[in-house]
């Protein structure tokens, strides 16, 4: 009789142990789909492009970017690279609950350099941060040594311009420069020449005719970058 009682007690203990374990296992199984839904949500977050940000203000020592941040992410990460492609600095622009937020991020910069900038969205969930795709790059230069010289010959009544290009060591990341001239500051530019760093460009004609002494002309110098990204910064005189 005692043996039968002992067997019944062991069987009851086994049933109770199984009953205690069952909710734990059920909770673990229920947690799996929840985590899957969180991960699925992160992969569906909005990605940003190079149209979501643009230079807003630039001085010799810093540049400010205007960034459009979607509301379905934690924020947008803005990354600054040097002309070698090395990451220099990172700034985060936070989102807002009411819709797309306009934020401003600022970077310190050095002179006579070429920089590129990329952005990506990020989402923070339960202490884990997941990043979206990197956008295509925007780029800018910080040249301080392009000069425009003007010369007027009183004997012949002719004038010309000379664009003094910086040397290669002071034009890092730049392949060459394209020089344009126009009579209107905002339109009508005609290509003069493409020159490598250190090669000056002389301008004595506009549309095949000698430059007039009584006419005001505008000169535009566009840096063509080795990274093959169009520069947001050009130089105009």
């Amino acid at each position: 009789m005692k043996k039968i009682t002992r067997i019944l007690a062991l069987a009851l203990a086994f049933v109770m142990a199984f009953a205690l374990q069952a909710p734990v296992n059920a909770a673990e199984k229920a947690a799996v789909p929840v985590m899957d839904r969180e991960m699925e949500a992160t992969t569906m977050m909005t990605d940003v492009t190079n149209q979501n940000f643009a230079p807003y203000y630039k001085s010799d020592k810093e540049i400010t970017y205007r960034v459009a941040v979607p509301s379905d992410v934690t924020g947008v990460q803005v990354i600054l690279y040097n002309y070698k492609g090395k990451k220099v600095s990172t700034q985060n622009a936070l989102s807002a609950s009411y819709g797309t937020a306009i934020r401003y991020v600022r970077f310190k910069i050095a002179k006579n350099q070429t920089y590129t900038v990329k952005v990506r969205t990020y989402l923070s969930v339960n202490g884990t941060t997941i990043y979206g795709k990197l956008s295509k790059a925007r780029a800018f230069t910080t040249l301080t040594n392009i000069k425009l010289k003007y010369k007027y010959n009183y004997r012949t009544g002719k004038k010309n311009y000379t664009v003094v290009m910086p040397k290669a060591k002071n034009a890092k990341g730049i392949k060459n420069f394209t020089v344009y001239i126009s009579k209107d500051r905002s339109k009508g530019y005609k290509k003069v020449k493409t020159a490598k760093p250190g090669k000056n460009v002389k301008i004595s004609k506009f549309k095949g005719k000698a430059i007039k002494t009584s006419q005001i002309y505008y000169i535009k110098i566009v840096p063509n970058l080795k990274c093959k990204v169009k520069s947001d910064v050009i130089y105009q005189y």
Side-chain angles (χ1 to χ4, degrees):
M1 185 69 181
K2 291 181 178 181
K3 185 176 182 180
I4 294 172
T5 305
R6 186 180 300 173
I7 291 172
L8 290 172
L10 288 173
L12 181 61
F14 177 77
V15 171
M16 291 180 64
F18 180 80
L20 288 172
Q21 289 179 4
V24 175
N25 291 337
E28 289 175 351
K29 290 179 180 178
V32 173
V34 172
M35 182 59 70
D36 286 346
R37 286 198 296 270
E38 289 179 350
M39 294 300 293
E40 183 180 357
T42 61
T43 60
M44 295 175 64
M45 65 182 175
T46 303
D47 282 318
V48 286
T49 71
N50 59 1
Q51 300 302 309
N52 284 73
F53 69 107
Y56 178 75
Y57 172 78
K58 177 184 171 296
S59 67
D60 290 340
K61 295 183 178 181
E62 65 182 28
I63 188 169
T64 300
Y65 271 87
R66 183 178 184 271
V67 186
V69 185
S71 60
D72 63 343
V73 298
T74 304
V76 170
Q77 186 180 67
V78 188
I79 309 170
L80 180 72
Y81 302 86
N82 65 13
Y83 72 100
K84 293 182 179 180
K86 182 179 179 181
K87 187 185 296 186
V88 176
S89 183
T90 301
Q91 299 287 346
N92 290 332
L94 297 178
S95 63
S97 59
Y98 53 78
T100 300
I102 302 301
R103 305 297 190 194
Y104 298 88
V105 297
R106 184 181 302 169
F107 293 102
K108 291 183 178 180
I109 54 178
K111 64 180 181 180
N112 301 327
Q113 301 285 326
T114 296
Y115 293 96
T116 57
V117 181
K118 296 181 181 180
V119 296
R120 60 182 178 180
T121 51
Y122 66 93
L123 188 63
S124 297
V125 179
N126 296 331
T128 300
T129 300
I130 301 173
Y131 295 93
K133 296 179 181 179
L134 275 173
S135 70
K136 291 183 179 179
R138 298 190 75 110
F140 66 94
T141 59
T142 59
L143 303 179
T144 60
N145 46 14
I146 294 179
K147 298 179 181 179
L148 181 67
K149 293 184 177 180
Y150 167 78
K151 184 177 180 181
Y152 174 71
N153 190 319
Y154 290 94
R155 183 173 60 82
T156 62
K158 295 181 180 181
K159 70 176 182 178
N160 61 65
Y161 299 96
T162 299
V163 180
V164 181
M165 298 297 186
K167 295 181 179 180
K169 67 178 182 178
N170 293 323
K172 295 177 180 178
I174 297 175
K175 181 180 180 181
N176 52 44
F177 299 90
T178 303
V179 180
Y180 299 87
I181 184 172
S182 177
K183 292 181 180 180
D184 190 312
R185 187 175 183 84
S186 60
K187 61 182 179 179
Y189 281 90
K190 300 298 179 182
K191 180 180 176 180
V192 177
K193 189 178 181 180
T194 296
K196 293 182 178 181
K199 300 292 184 180
N200 297 342
V201 177
K202 185 176 181 180
I203 308 171
S204 59
K205 294 183 178 182
F206 177 67
K207 293 184 177 181
K209 297 181 180 180
I211 290 177
K212 298 178 181 179
T213 57
S214 59
Q215 176 68 50
I216 297 176
Y217 295 90
Y218 299 93
I219 313 297
K220 182 167 66 175
I221 302 101
V222 178
N224 303 309
L225 310 182
K226 292 180 180 179
C227 64
K228 297 181 180 180
V229 178
K230 183 179 178 181
S231 175
D232 286 321
V233 174
I234 62 174
Y235 302 87
Q236 197 166 16
Y237 298 90

